[in-house]
Amino acid sequence: MPRVKSSDTAPKKAPVRKKTLTKTIHPKKKTKSILVDVIEDEALPSEKKLASDFLVESENKKKRKGMTSQAEKTTSEISSNLDRQKEFFSSLALKEKSTDNSNDGRGGKQDREAGKRSLGLYRRLAIKFIILVVALAVIVAYFSFSKLTVAVNLKGETISDTLLLKIFDPNNTEVPTVDDATDSITKTATATVSMLQNDPREPMAGNIKEIGTSVDKTYLATGETYLGEEVVGSVRIINNYNKSQPLVATTRLLSPDGKLFRIKNAVNVPAGGEVTVDIYTDKPAENMAISSTTFTIPGLWLGLQDKIYAKNDAPFTFTKKVQKYVTANDLEMAVKDIGENLIDNAKSKAGAGQNWLYLTLTSPVVNIDAKVGAKQEEFTAKASGKIVAVAVDVSEMSKLAAAKLNLIIPDDKELANFKGDNISYSLDNYDVASKTATVKASFSGTMILRSDAQVINPQQLVGLTDEQIRTYLNSRPELKEYTLKFSPAFMKKAPSLVDRIKIEVDKN
């Protein structure tokens, strides 16, 4: 007989009991005694309950009916027991079938639900796994492909310096003595070089020339005394008559618009000819400066006015009438200018091909043919003097200047832009006795960071955003300009790995 599982906890197994039923046969009937052994199988809790209920109900029936006789009782009991057993097992089979069907339905539903739960679990695990793989791929791609290139253009810093040179001419043998006045031995060019080696200023060989020159020049007086106003111009007196026509000074000339002018000098105009004469006006004013026109001569007979007349070919000019005189400033400027003219004259004598520096050895001797207050429009100045011309070796000077700048440049920088042609020179002094000149050279250059110097530390940029990087770079004074190139372009943040950051330096 099959066992039915119950959700309740199974009780302890009861021992198998054997019931012996004895059937008594009355003598009236010829029957045989039958011994029936009923072996009870281990009952499940539900079966026990069902059997218990059935037995209780049977006992109640027995009590109601009573036992009429022992044989009937025995026969009825046997029959009843058989019927009850049949009913018991039938009901038990139905119960088990019902229970099995119920369990099968619940089990199938539970299996389906369990399958659904398992499928959802697998789906969630798969989604999480995919998300994890994608995130890992993004992280790997970020570290593998993210890159930042910083291209910087360095800003040069100007550095300036000066150098004093002691210029000597190796070809010049006219050198003063080394010892005191009692020693009459003159120095040679080699002795001059030896002397210069003890001078704190930088010695340099060059060319030195002493040039004597003279010059004269005319200058205009700038002093003015106001005398009044005047209208200045000239006219042509035209005579188309068959006789000459004399005209006295102050003869009137009348313009078409009624302006009156006079001729300054007396003239005699020949027949069929013309004469040019200056004019003036009694009332000078700006409106009297008229353009070209034809004038009549009111003093002539009316019949001659169309034959003898005047005409101006150029406009008249209105001016203020002044008296020129020489001022003290005129003389000072003349002395200064005549000295510069002496140097210009010396330049033409020094010769071309070298960068000469000039200096007047002594104050030039200047002679001027006018004094302060002299009423004249111009005066003449003459001067003479001695000029020294010094030429510097530009190539050598360029090397010295570059070496001097390299000495004062910091260790982490280098000279980037220096041109010897831009050196400016000034001749400060000339020693006539030693025939040496002191020249001051002024020069400048541009210095930038050295090629092996670290302009930007990539470690400082790790993980910074675009704005943070720009703020950092803007604070660096040595940078002229810069550009940032992110890869990929949409990622505006520096990589987290320092080796993915590249610095490119442009020194041009």
Side-chain angles (χ1 to χ4, degrees), residues 10 35 45 67 89 107 116 121 123 125 130 142 145 164 209 230 244 263 271-272 294 381 383 397 401 407 445 463:
L35 296 177
M67 298 178 60
F89 286 111
K116 290 181 179 179
L121 177 61
R123 184 181 293 111
L125 289 177
I130 293 173
Y142 170 74
F145 300 105
L164 286 178
K209 291 183 179 181
E230 63 179 349
S244 62
I263 62 174
T294 300
M397 181 60 224
L407 287 176

Side-chain angles (χ1 to χ4, degrees), residues 229-235 237 248-255 259-266 277-285 288-290 295 312 316-319 321:
E229 299 172 343
E230 63 179 349
V231 174
V232 179
S234 62
V235 295
I237 307 295
V248 299
T250 71
T251 297
R252 294 174 299 164
L253 302 176
L254 189 63
S255 68
K259 292 182 174 64
L260 184 64
F261 299 87
R262 297 179 183 275
I263 62 174
K264 286 185 176 182
N265 303 312
V277 62
D278 293 333
I279 60 93
Y280 71 95
T281 180
D282 296 333
K283 296 179 179 180
M288 299 297 285
I290 62 176
F295 302 87
N312 64 327
F316 295 157
T317 304
F318 172 79
T319 61
K321 191 175 181 180

Side-chain angles (χ1 to χ4, degrees), residues 134-284:
V134 171
L136 184 61
V138 170
I139 294 174
V140 172
Y142 170 74
F143 284 102
S144 301
F145 300 105
S146 64
K147 184 179 179 181
L148 171 61
T149 302
V150 183
V152 297
N153 194 318
L154 298 181
K155 181 192 298 182
E157 298 179 58
T158 301
I159 182 172
S160 303
D161 202 0
T162 59
L163 191 63
L164 286 178
L165 306 174
K166 200 73 172 180
I167 306 299
F168 65 94
D169 191 343
N171 299 321
N172 188 359
T173 57
E174 298 179 2
V175 184
T177 58
V178 179
D179 300 325
D180 54 12
T182 58
D183 188 0
S184 59
I185 301 176
T186 60
K187 293 192 292 181
T188 62
T190 303
T192 303
V193 174
S194 177
M195 180 189 68
L196 290 174
Q197 290 177 347
N198 298 322
D199 197 295
R201 287 165 288 188
E202 190 70 30
M204 179 180 289
N207 292 332
I208 298 176
K209 291 183 179 181
E210 296 179 3
I211 304 171
T213 183
S214 60
V215 67
D216 59 84
K217 187 176 180 180
T218 299
Y219 298 91
L220 296 176
T222 60
E224 295 181 346
T225 300
Y226 180 70
L227 300 178
E229 299 172 343
E230 63 179 349
V231 174
V232 179
S234 62
V235 295
R236 292 183 295 117
I237 307 295
I238 302 171
N239 184 0
N240 291 328
Y241 191 54
N242 55 8
K243 292 182 180 179
S244 62
Q245 178 63 51
L247 297 174
V248 299
T250 71
T251 297
R252 294 174 299 164
L253 302 176
L254 189 63
S255 68
D257 57 355
K259 292 182 174 64
L260 184 64
F261 299 87
R262 297 179 183 275
I263 62 174
K264 286 185 176 182
N265 303 312
V267 294
N268 186 17
V269 185
E274 62 180 44
V275 175
T276 300
V277 62
D278 293 333
I279 60 93
Y280 71 95
T281 180
D282 296 333
K283 296 179 179 180

